[in-house]
Amino acid sequence: MNSLIQSQLRLALAVIGATTLSLGSLPLLFFLVPATRTLGVFGIPLPWVLLGIVVYPVVYVAARIYVRNAERIEAEFTEFVGRQ
C-alpha cells in the first residue's frame, strides 16, 4: 500500500510541477520580452489571450494526464495485489 501512495504522490508532484512551470513562465516571458506585452491577436492583447484562454486547455490536459496515469498506477497495483 505504501508503494501505491508513493507512486500517486510522485505523479501528483510531477503534474503539478510541470503545470506550474509552464504557466508560471508566462509572466517571465512578458517581463523578458517586452514586445509580448503589446502584441495583439485578433485585436486582443497577447497576455489576455494566453492568461484568459490558453490556460484552460493546459490545465485540462494536465488533469487528463494525471487521471490516466493514476488509473494506470492503481490498475498495476490491483494486479500486483491480486497475484499475491
Side-chain angles (χ1 to χ4, degrees):
M1 185 61 115
N2 198 25
S3 67
L4 173 64
I5 293 170
Q6 288 177 350
S7 297
Q8 293 285 8
L9 179 61
R10 266 193 309 275
L11 173 63
L13 292 176
V15 170
I16 289 171
T19 304
T20 301
L21 184 64
S22 64
L23 294 178
S25 65
L26 288 176
L28 186 62
L29 170 72
F30 300 144
F31 179 74
L32 294 177
V33 184
T36 58
R37 293 182 224 157
T38 58
L39 186 64
V41 178
F42 301 114
I44 304 171
L46 180 64
W48 283 78
V49 172
L50 291 177
L51 296 173
I53 298 171
V54 175
V55 168
Y56 295 104
V58 170
V59 171
Y60 176 78
V61 168
R64 292 288 298 172
I65 289 170
Y66 175 78
V67 169
R68 184 178 53 217
N69 286 318
E71 288 174 346
R72 179 187 52 81
I73 290 170
E74 290 175 8
E76 289 174 356
F77 180 77
T78 303
E79 180 183 321
F80 175 74
V81 170
R83 287 185 287 178
Q84 298 297 326

